């Protein structure tokens, strides 16, 4: 009976040692998995930070392009207004010149008729 008890104790100790090795291996695997998860989290954070940085750069570029476009439109609008104003002034000057020419021709005829009398 003592011998039987010794064998059972030895078997139980062997079994206990195997369970402890398995438990240590499981803890080691868990630690590796946690380390891998931390590396993945850091990589994800880095990728997200890079994405946010690139997004902000694009937003700044789009905003700048919009302002340039608005500036170009405003400048073109101003140039068009100035052109229209110059055209109106030229038309008015042309009308005045035509009126002065007509007045001069009428005055010339009147003088010629006076001279002829």
């Amino acid at each position: 009976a003592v011998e039987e008890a010794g064998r059972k104790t030895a078997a139980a100790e062997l079994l206990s040692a195997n369970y402890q090795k398995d438990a240590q291996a499981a803890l080691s695997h868990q630690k590796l998995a946690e380390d891998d998860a931390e590396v993945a989290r850091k990589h994800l954070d880095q990728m997200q930070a890079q994405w946010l940085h690139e997004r902000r750069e694009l937003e700044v570029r789009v905003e700048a392009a919009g302002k340039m476009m608005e500036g170009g439109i405003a400048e073109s609008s101003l140039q068009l207004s100035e052109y229209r104003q110059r055209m109106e002034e030229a038309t008015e000057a042309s009308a005045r010149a035509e009126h002065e020419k007509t007045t001069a021709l009428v005055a010339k005829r009147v003088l010629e008729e006076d001279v002829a009398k």
Side-chain angles (χ1 to χ4, degrees):
V2 171
E3 199 177 292
E4 181 68 24
R7 275 189 293 226
K8 285 184 180 181
T9 300
E13 286 175 355
L14 183 60
L15 193 57
S16 176
N18 285 338
Y19 284 141
Q20 284 180 347
K21 285 180 187 175
D22 288 346
Q24 286 176 342
L27 287 173
S28 178
H29 286 302
Q30 180 182 356
K31 175 69 172 126
L32 289 174
E34 288 172 354
D35 290 348
D36 288 347
E38 183 62 25
V39 168
R41 270 193 295 275
K42 286 180 181 178
H43 182 66
L44 180 61
D45 289 346
Q46 184 181 19
M47 295 289 287
Q48 186 178 22
Q50 181 179 352
W51 178 81
L52 288 172
H53 176 72
E54 289 174 0
R55 178 180 172 186
R56 182 62 191 140
E57 281 184 352
L58 287 174
E59 287 172 347
V60 167
R61 287 181 186 170
V62 166
E63 187 177 334
K67 286 180 180 178
M68 285 176 58
M69 192 170 78
E70 288 174 3
I73 291 171
E75 185 177 333
S76 295
S77 179
L78 179 62
Q79 289 174 347
L80 182 60
S81 293
E82 290 172 350
Y83 172 77
R84 285 181 179 158
Q85 184 178 355
R86 284 193 300 267
M87 287 300 292
E88 285 177 18
E89 290 170 356
T91 301
E92 289 171 5
S94 177
R96 281 193 305 273
E98 190 64 33
H99 177 71
E100 289 173 7
K101 177 182 168 186
T102 304
T103 303
L105 287 174
V106 168
K108 179 182 174 187
R109 267 195 219 133
V110 168
L111 282 175
E112 285 174 350
E113 287 176 3
D114 284 348
V115 169
K117 287 184 187 178

